[in-house]
Amino acid sequence: MIFAIEEINNSTELLPGIKLGYEIYDSCASVSMAMHVAFQLSNRPDPVFQIGDNCSQSGVVMGVIGDSGSTPSISMSRIFGPFSIPLVSHFATCACLSDKEQYPTFFRTIPSDHYQADAMAKLVKHFGWTWIGAVHSDSDYGRNGMASFLEAAHREGICVEYIESFYRTDPKSKIQRVADVIRRSTAITVVAFMADGDIKFLFEELDQHRPPPRQWIGSEGWVTDPQLMRFSFCAGAIGVAIQQSIIPGFRDFLLDLSPSEVAASPALTEFWEDTFNCSLKKATSAKKKLCDGTEDLKTLKIPYTETSKFRIANMVYKAVYAIAHAIHNALCQKYNFTTYCKRQTNLSLNQVLSELKKVNFTQNGYHVSFDVNGDPVAAYEVVNWQNSESGVIELVTVGYYDASLPKGQEFRINRKLTWVDGNKEVPVSVCSESCPPGTRKVLQKGKPICCYDCMPCPEGEISNMTDSLDCIPCPREFWPNSNRDACFPKPVEFLSFNEVLGIILEVFSISGACLAIITGMVFFHHRTTPIVRANNSELSFLLLFSLTLCFLCSLTFIGAPSNWSCMLRHTAFGITFVLCISCVLGKTIVVLMAFKATLPGSNAMKWFGPLQQRMTVVSVTFIQVIICTVWLVVSPPFSVQNLTTYKEKIILECALGSAVGFWAVLGYIGLLAVFCFVLAVLARKLPDNFNEAKMITFSMLIFCAVWVTFIPAYVSSPGKFTVAVEIFAILASSFGLILCIFAPKCLIILFQPEKNTKKFLMGKNQT
């Protein structure tokens, strides 16, 4: 401050011809002392402001620089407010001081804790720490700063395991308790919003019994303090700090201290004697000699002589220049490139206060201005405590934070960081590990939102990102993969020609058709023999033809269903089976009529000759054709994707269209089969060596048994097995008919030709 005032007083551009005076008070970090000084500055008419060479005896304070702490600054600002005395602080960061209704005359050159807290929360989030501990000073700086940080942390989704506070004057037991909480906690990262004078006591307590490795996140109140870097367990700490700066000429000002200047200041006297281990007045002990004037600060390497990295000092420098510019703007004007200041004038505090709100200048490359809350533009350095090659902890700037940049671009990390215990990898500080894709977060009861369990997504749902709160269902035509992190099209299932089951059914179908054709060829070759001619050979050939169609119609059930194939398969099946059973029915009636015709006076065969047999087959089949036609016209079968039977796949199948039509077709077939079976049973005991009614009875018994068992199997079979059951029923009943009716005849034709005579068939060769 002294350097800046002297620089201003020697300037020809700023306040030319006007000298600034000053008084310096030490508040001793005490609120009561700060308030005492504030009252002194408000009431005493000391010559603190000079106009020209003559000092006005009624001068009043035009502005105050300070205090370093937020709590003293709050008290002082409340006192200065009614008097309109500007208070410009270089280190009071409490966000509460931005309230212009309570603190109308407060300004500061250091950013508000509102921005610092936001920067620290974003820093924690940037490195993925969602489970942290928090300690703060039990002061306005610590309480308000931590409140702002917790609010920002909540927005960023960060959870806090514990919040502890203490003040440097608290009993040691309280500090020990805070240290024990840090030692026992599960959070690796600890955010400390504290003043350096407070955290020193915590570090000393922790140093006695080293805690597990902890990653410290520091506020600007302590993270740049070189005195704290002696605690090696804090190596790797990171934090936000006021930007470094260079003040031209300040190094020479600091090092060119004369013994008379030192002796005039109690503070400098103490510093000088402690640094050189000598006494300026007289030797106070045997260990301290009298200073002889040869002491030279330039030969020392101590924090006082390190003038390349000013942080807080530059804030003081800006504050002094801000008040000087406000006074300059109130008193001075520029004419023809020359600045003139009113030397004889009454300058009011309201004028200075009004001009201070409007200051906007750049000094040594550093911009100075205030917003409506009296705050500057927030900009910080990101600093890291790194171990040097000599083993000493050094403060290294690793990045920057600028609150004026667009959201998401405020941070810029441009150097590698070292972490706790010298690790190169970012430490993990989470309550629960991240939930991988395919799972969702389920909060643990009674714990913060950062503590959760990872539950697999329910069936049919996925999550395709880490830490998903909910799983999303796949579209109806899609199904999750095994990891449940992506949806894939469901496989389409139908009874295909290429699969094993389809091939087996194809083989049986074609084999049955070939068997029917071969049987027809055998019958055609032996068409003149009694066994072929018996019981209407024309019906036998028609039955073999219909059986061939029955075997082949089962092939229409295999392959991907389409609207045309669905209509074809059901109608072809219904009509061919009715044709088949009508032929069997005709043969059964022929057997009955044939034996009735042998009775005296019977003319039964006259009423059921070949023409009537053909008409029976045609009329019975025509009824089924009508049923199928009505079914196709009203509500035909169609192909459909079945998404309900299986959740993980699509069944491509034929919908019935009209269930009444389907069951009418089956019911008509069943009615004919039962009627035929009853007639065959009635004719089974008629006298004959080869009574065909017995074979028809067995064939109808097999037919009815197959289709009775088909109904529950058809209803209960899922997916493509429904089609397989239907094909099996067609093939089984067809094989039952051809084997029971034609196998015995083929056996006689091919292997027992001696029985293929009319006498044998009529039973007249018996003795």
Side-chain angles (χ1 to χ4, degrees):
M1 189 187 80
I2 296 173
F3 169 77
I5 291 175
E6 290 187 2
E7 195 175 63
I8 292 167
N9 287 341
N10 293 325
S11 172
T12 58
E13 296 293 329
L14 187 62
L15 291 174
I18 295 179
K19 303 293 184 183
L20 297 179
Y22 59 87
E23 287 186 359
I24 297 175
Y25 296 88
D26 189 354
S27 64
C28 302
S30 168
V31 175
S32 58
M33 183 70 74
M35 293 180 69
H36 176 71
V37 170
F39 280 120
Q40 281 186 301
L41 293 174
S42 301
N43 296 325
R44 287 176 56 194
D46 288 341
V48 295
F49 184 68
Q50 301 177 8
I51 298 179
D53 296 326
N54 299 319
C55 188
S56 170
Q57 296 302 314
S58 60
V60 294
V61 175
M62 291 292 104
V64 178
I65 309 296
D67 191 301
S68 300
S70 294
T71 302
S73 295
I74 290 172
S75 302
M76 293 172 66
S77 186
R78 291 189 186 278
I79 295 171
F80 290 147
F83 300 102
S84 299
I85 300 176
L87 175 65
V88 184
S89 176
H90 58 284
F91 206 39
T93 57
C94 179
C96 59
L97 287 164
S98 297
D99 186 351
K100 290 297 103 179
E101 290 187 2
Q102 295 193 56
Y103 314 104
T105 64
F106 180 83
F107 300 83
R108 53 183 155 200
T109 52
I110 190 170
S112 163
D113 282 340
H114 170 78
Y115 300 102
Q116 181 182 195
D118 190 61
M120 292 173 68
K122 283 185 168 64
L123 187 68
V124 171
K125 183 66 174 180
H126 178 78
F127 293 108
W129 298 318
T130 57
W131 186 240
I132 63 170
V135 292
H136 63 89
S137 297
D138 193 8
S139 62
D140 287 294
Y141 167 74
R143 286 189 296 269
N144 288 280
M146 183 55 67
S148 297
F149 171 78
L150 293 176
E151 182 181 348
H154 179 72
R155 289 196 303 269
E156 299 292 342
I158 299 167
C159 300
V160 181
E161 182 182 6
Y162 59 86
I163 304 172
E164 297 293 333
S165 66
F166 69 91
Y167 193 64
R168 67 193 73 173
T169 57
D170 285 340
K172 188 176 181 181
S173 59
K174 185 173 183 179
I175 301 175
Q176 288 176 339
R177 186 185 63 79
V178 174
D180 289 338
V181 169
I182 295 173
R183 293 188 184 101
R184 293 193 305 266
S185 68
T186 58
I188 303 299
T189 302
V190 182
V191 175
F193 216 108
M194 307 190 76
D196 52 359
D198 296 330
I199 202 169
K200 179 185 71 170
F201 291 96
L202 178 60
F203 284 170
E204 288 174 350
E205 178 60 36
L206 289 171
D207 199 34
Q208 295 181 12
H209 303 285
R210 292 288 179 92
R214 293 289 181 263
Q215 178 63 51
W216 292 88
I217 309 297
S219 64
E220 42 75 28
W222 66 271
V223 77
T224 58
D225 189 344
Q227 302 298 325
L228 298 175
M229 295 180 190
R230 58 188 174 91
F231 298 103
S232 59
F233 65 87
C234 292
I238 60 174
V240 293
I242 303 305
Q243 289 181 304
Q244 296 181 98
S245 56
I246 297 174
I247 302 176
F250 193 34
R251 175 181 174 82
D252 295 335
F253 178 80
L254 288 175
L255 299 183
D256 292 342
L257 283 177
S258 64
S260 59
E261 290 175 321
V262 172
S265 170
L268 288 177
T269 299
E270 182 182 352
F271 158 71
W272 192 274
E273 292 179 344
D274 183 62
T275 300
F276 294 106
N277 195 25
C278 66
S279 176
L280 283 170
K281 297 178 181 179
K282 59 180 180 179
T284 56
S285 65
K287 295 182 180 180
K288 278 193 175 183
K289 60 180 181 177
L290 191 65
C291 297
D292 56 9
T294 60
E295 296 82 12
D296 189 359
L297 287 172
K298 297 178 182 178
T299 62
L300 301 178
K301 191 175 182 181
I302 56 176
Y304 180 82
T305 62
E306 179 56 59
T307 59
S308 62
K309 297 178 181 179
F310 289 119
R311 296 183 189 274
I312 307 305
N314 192 45
M315 299 296 106
V316 179
Y317 187 73
K318 288 181 179 181
V320 174
Y321 266 90
I323 293 179
H325 272 271
I327 297 173
H328 177 91
N329 294 339
L331 292 177
C332 305
Q333 290 182 335
K334 202 167 190 178
Y335 296 104
N336 297 326
F337 304 102
T338 303
T339 301
Y340 299 95
C341 296
K342 300 175 183 177
R343 301 170 64 86
Q344 301 297 329
T345 182
N346 291 322
L347 181 63
S348 69
L349 288 169
N350 284 325
Q351 285 180 276
V352 177
L353 182 62
S354 176
E355 293 297 335
L356 188 59
K357 294 176 181 179
K358 297 183 287 186
V359 294
N360 191 349
F361 64 94
T362 300
Q363 183 68 29
N364 293 335
Y366 305 112
H367 181 259
V368 180
S369 65
F370 302 107
D371 63 15
V372 293
N373 296 320
D375 296 325
V377 175
Y380 297 96
E381 288 181 356
V382 180
V383 295
N384 183 210
W385 289 16
Q386 298 186 3
N387 281 314
S388 63
E389 294 181 357
S390 61
V392 178
I393 295 178
E394 293 180 343
L395 189 68
V396 179
T397 300
V398 294
Y400 298 92
Y401 176 87
D402 189 345
S404 64
L405 294 177
K407 188 176 182 180
Q409 302 177 22
E410 301 98 334
F411 265 112
R412 188 171 75 255
I413 305 294
N414 52 22
R415 283 191 61 171
K416 287 186 176 181
L417 290 83
T418 59
W419 305 100
V420 58
D421 283 350
N423 292 327
K424 300 298 181 182
E425 298 294 328
V426 180
V428 177
S429 184
V430 295
C431 182
S432 301
E433 294 292 334
S434 293
C435 289
T439 61
R440 63 186 179 94
K441 296 198 296 187
V442 178
L443 298 182
Q444 295 177 0
K445 189 175 181 179
K447 292 190 176 181
I449 60 172
C450 301
C451 301
Y452 48 81
D453 297 315
C454 298
M455 301 296 291
C457 286
E459 189 178 59
E461 297 183 6
I462 66 161
S463 65
N464 54 7
M465 60 183 182
T466 303
D467 287 335
S468 178
L469 294 175
D470 293 298
C471 297
I472 54 175
C474 289
R476 292 190 68 194
E477 295 80 12
F478 290 78
W479 193 252
N481 57 0
S482 57
N483 295 328
R484 299 187 180 180
D485 57 4
C487 291
F488 289 95
K490 291 180 180 179
V492 178
E493 183 182 87
F494 56 88
L495 187 61
S496 70
F497 288 99
N498 300 324
E499 62 180 294
V500 175
L501 180 58
I503 292 172
I504 293 173
L505 295 174
E506 291 164 31
V507 169
F508 276 100
S509 177
I510 295 171
S511 299
C514 292
L515 181 60
I517 293 171
I518 292 170
T519 303
M521 292 172 63
V522 170
F523 268 51
F524 182 78
H525 186 265
H526 298 88
R527 62 187 178 278
T528 58
T529 60
I531 201 166
V532 175
R533 293 180 63 189
N535 201 357
N536 195 338
S537 61
E538 185 178 326
L539 286 178
S540 296
F541 284 112
L542 187 58
L543 177 58
L544 287 170
F545 173 71
S546 63
L547 283 172
T548 303
L549 294 179
C550 286
F551 282 117
L552 293 178
C553 85
S554 63
L555 295 177
T556 63
F557 288 82
I558 304 175
S562 65
N563 290 341
W564 285 105
S565 67
C566 289
M567 290 188 286
L568 175 63
R569 67 172 58 171
H570 285 99
T571 53
F573 154 70
I575 293 172
T576 54
F577 256 79
V578 166
L579 178 62
C580 178
I581 294 174
S582 63
C583 293
V584 176
L585 180 62
K587 292 175 72 67
T588 307
I589 295 174
V590 167
V591 172
L592 285 171
M593 294 301 174
F595 279 96
K596 283 195 174 186
T598 60
L599 299 176
S602 175
N603 58 352
M605 288 304 295
K606 177 183 176 182
W607 299 104
F608 202 73
L611 180 61
Q612 287 79 9
Q613 294 170 23
R614 296 189 196 103
M615 291 299 294
T616 301
V617 172
V618 171
S619 59
V620 169
T621 305
F622 184 69
I623 294 173
Q624 184 73 310
V625 171
I626 293 174
I627 295 174
C628 290
T629 303
V630 173
W631 183 16
L632 293 179
V633 170
V634 175
S635 181
F638 57 92
S639 64
V640 67
Q641 291 184 341
N642 184 348
L643 302 171
T644 58
T645 302
Y646 292 105
K647 295 179 180 178
E648 71 279 4
K649 57 186 175 182
I650 299 174
I651 305 298
L652 198 59
E653 61 185 12
C654 287
L656 297 177
S658 171
V660 174
F662 174 74
W663 291 110
V665 169
L666 279 186
Y668 185 64
I669 295 172
L671 181 65
L672 291 178
V674 170
F675 182 58
C676 186
F677 175 70
V678 171
L679 293 180
V681 170
L682 294 175
R684 74 187 189 283
K685 293 185 179 180
L686 295 175
D688 196 345
N689 273 349
F690 190 83
N691 186 355
E692 195 175 28
K694 294 178 182 179
M695 305 308 167
I696 293 173
T697 302
F698 282 115
S699 67
M700 286 295 101
L701 189 62
I702 293 172
F703 185 92
C704 292
V706 167
W707 286 98
V708 167
T709 56
F710 158 78
I711 293 173
Y714 178 84
V715 172
S716 61
S717 298
K720 63 182 180 181
F721 297 106
T722 303
V723 178
V725 166
E726 195 166 357
I727 295 174
F728 174 79
I730 294 171
L731 294 177
S733 55
S734 300
F735 273 111
L737 286 172
I738 195 170
L739 292 176
C740 289
I741 294 175
F742 293 99
K745 294 182 179 183
C746 290
L747 180 65
I748 292 174
I749 292 171
L750 297 176
F751 301 105
Q752 297 175 341
E754 69 277 3
K755 294 183 179 180
N756 192 1
T757 63
K758 188 175 181 180
K759 289 183 178 181
F760 177 79
L761 294 176
M762 298 300 293
K764 294 181 179 180
N765 61 339
Q766 297 179 2
T767 58

